[in-house]
Amino acid sequence: MNRKIKKIELCIFLCFATFSYAQKVIDQAYIKCSYHYTELQDTVSRNVLDDYPILLIGERVSKFYSPKTYSNDSLRMTPDGNRKSREELSEAIKIYQATGNDNLITAHVHGTIKYYIYKGYPQNETLTLIDRIADNFYQYEETGYNQLWEMKDSTKTILGYECQKAECEFRGRHWTAWFASEVPVSNGPWKFGGLPGLIMEVYDRGRQYVFTINGLQKTTESITFTMDKQLFRNLEKVERKKMNKMLMNFRRNENSINTAMTGIDFDSGNTSKQLNYDFIERDYW
C-alpha cells in the first residue's frame, strides 16, 4: 500500500507543480446558486462521489464550477501554496488509507467536478468548458443551449419554490428537470438551460448524475475567466468529442499513463481497467 500511496502523492504533486493561475473579470453576478451534485462512479459497487458546485449568474455570462477545485487551483498563487496543498494531500491519503478507494483522493484534493463552464463567453450563445487530463488543460466551445425540452404538467416544491417538470434527450441520456418560473433566468447547472426559469433540479434516468439546488441568494461577486490561453500556456483548444475521447482513453489506461509519468507501477502490471460507468455525455464515439 505504501508504494500505491507514494504514486498517488507523486501524481497529484505533478498536477500541482505544473499549474499557474490567472483570472480576468468578465461580468458581475447578481444571483448565486449552490447545488449538491452526486455521481454514481461505479454502477457495480454503487460507489457515489459528490460535490457542491456553484452557479454564478450575471447579465451576460454565467460560471459553473466546484469551489473545492477552484480553491486548490488558486492555492498555487500563494507563497505558502505548496505547503497547504501538501497538507490537503496528506488528508486525502488518510481517506484512502481508511477506505482503499483512490477515487476519493482525487475528489478530496480537486473536487469531483474539475471543469469550469462559462455560458455566454466569449460570445453570446457560446458555452466554454475548461477541463484537465492529468497535468494538461483543455478548452472547447460549443453553441448553447442544445437541449430541446418537453414541458410536463407535474409540479413539486424545491427550496420553497414551485417547480414545473420538463424532460429532454441530450447526448445519450434522458434528463428530467424541475425549473422555477418565479426565478426568471434561463439557466441551470452544468450545460443545462433554455427553460423559462432557473433549473432547481435535474437528473438522468437511473440517477447516475444528479444536480439539486440547496442554496439561492443575491450577490455582487465578480465572474472571472479562470484560465485564458494567453495567460495559461498549458491550455490547448480541442473539439468537444475529441476531449471526451481523450478523457475516456485516460480513464481506461490510467495505470500505464501514471506509471509512465512517475516510474512507479501503480497496480502491479495491470495497465488497463474496466470502467463500470459511462460519462455524462455518451455521444463521444
Side-chain angles (χ1 to χ4, degrees):
M1 178 174 288
N2 289 338
R3 293 179 65 204
K4 192 168 186 176
I5 293 172
K6 182 179 179 182
K7 179 177 188 288
I8 293 169
E9 185 172 346
L10 185 54
C11 287
I12 297 176
F13 174 76
L14 288 174
C15 289
F16 280 132
T18 57
F19 193 86
S20 60
Y21 196 78
Q23 301 181 79
K24 178 170 65 174
V25 176
I26 54 178
D27 203 354
Q28 182 174 322
Y30 65 94
I31 295 178
K32 181 177 184 178
C33 314
S34 57
Y35 290 85
H36 181 215
Y37 168 73
T38 59
E39 174 183 323
L40 186 60
Q41 184 71 13
D42 191 316
T43 57
V44 175
S45 68
R46 310 302 293 178
N47 176 42
V48 176
L49 300 180
D50 72 345
D51 206 340
Y52 293 88
I54 296 295
L55 174 64
L56 293 175
I57 302 174
E59 294 292 344
R60 296 175 290 102
V61 179
S62 68
K63 177 180 180 179
F64 183 72
Y65 67 100
S66 163
K68 180 64 178 178
T69 297
Y70 179 84
S71 174
N72 280 280
D73 287 348
S74 303
L75 198 58
R76 299 300 298 174
M77 293 180 63
T78 64
D80 61 344
N82 284 332
R83 179 184 60 80
K84 290 183 178 179
S85 65
R86 300 295 287 185
E87 290 174 357
E88 293 262 336
L89 176 60
S90 296
E91 184 64 25
I93 289 175
K94 290 178 183 177
I95 294 176
Y96 169 73
Q97 289 175 313
T99 65
N101 187 345
D102 56 355
N103 285 326
L104 293 179
I105 292 182
T106 301
H108 183 85
V109 174
H110 295 299
T112 299
I113 292 176
K114 303 174 187 64
Y115 52 78
Y116 299 80
I117 292 179
Y118 301 86
K119 296 169 187 163
Y121 184 79
Q123 291 91 28
N124 189 28
E125 302 299 324
T126 300
L127 181 150
T128 299
L129 182 145
I130 297 173
D131 202 351
R132 72 174 76 202
I133 299 177
D135 59 345
N136 297 309
F137 289 79
Y138 300 90
Q139 172 185 328
Y140 66 77
E141 297 176 5
E142 59 178 301
T143 302
Y145 305 99
N146 292 306
Q147 300 97 36
L148 298 176
W149 296 102
E150 181 180 349
M151 301 294 190
K152 302 295 182 179
D153 294 330
S154 301
T155 62
K156 70 174 182 178
T157 300
I158 302 175
L159 212 65
Y161 294 90
E162 182 176 285
C163 299
Q164 184 178 345
K165 185 179 183 180
E167 296 181 350
C168 75
E169 299 289 335
F170 184 61
R171 295 177 179 167
R173 293 185 184 274
H174 182 86
W175 293 93
T176 297
W178 297 89
F179 68 95
S181 300
E182 294 177 64
V183 188
V185 291
S186 183
N187 213 320
W190 190 52
K191 298 182 178 182
F192 293 113
L195 286 168
L198 178 66
I199 295 177
M200 309 289 275
E201 183 175 54
V202 59
Y203 48 83
D204 68 317
R205 182 180 290 134
R207 291 178 177 263
Q208 185 174 345
Y209 297 92
V210 181
F211 302 84
T212 304
I213 198 165
N214 61 7
L216 177 61
Q217 65 186 73
K218 294 180 180 179
T219 186
T220 57
E221 290 184 40
S222 295
I223 298 178
T224 59
F225 188 63
T226 308
M227 289 167 281
D228 189 288
K229 191 172 179 65
Q230 287 73 36
L231 301 173
F232 190 69
R233 66 179 64 185
N234 197 29
L235 184 65
E236 178 183 348
K237 288 189 175 182
V238 296
E239 294 182 348
R240 178 183 66 87
K241 289 187 177 182
K242 180 180 178 180
M243 170 70 195
N244 287 334
K245 287 179 182 179
M246 290 190 299
L247 188 56
M248 177 59 77
N249 181 66
F250 174 77
R251 294 282 178 84
R252 286 176 172 167
N253 299 282
E254 194 168 359
N255 296 335
S256 59
I257 292 172
N258 285 336
T259 297
M261 288 174 60
T262 65
I264 302 172
D265 189 356
F266 191 80
D267 275 332
S268 302
N270 182 19
T271 58
S272 62
K273 60 182 178 182
Q274 177 67 39
L275 298 182
N276 296 316
Y277 69 98
D278 206 351
F279 288 164
I280 193 169
E281 294 177 318
R282 289 172 163 167
D283 65 336
Y284 46 84
W285 297 117

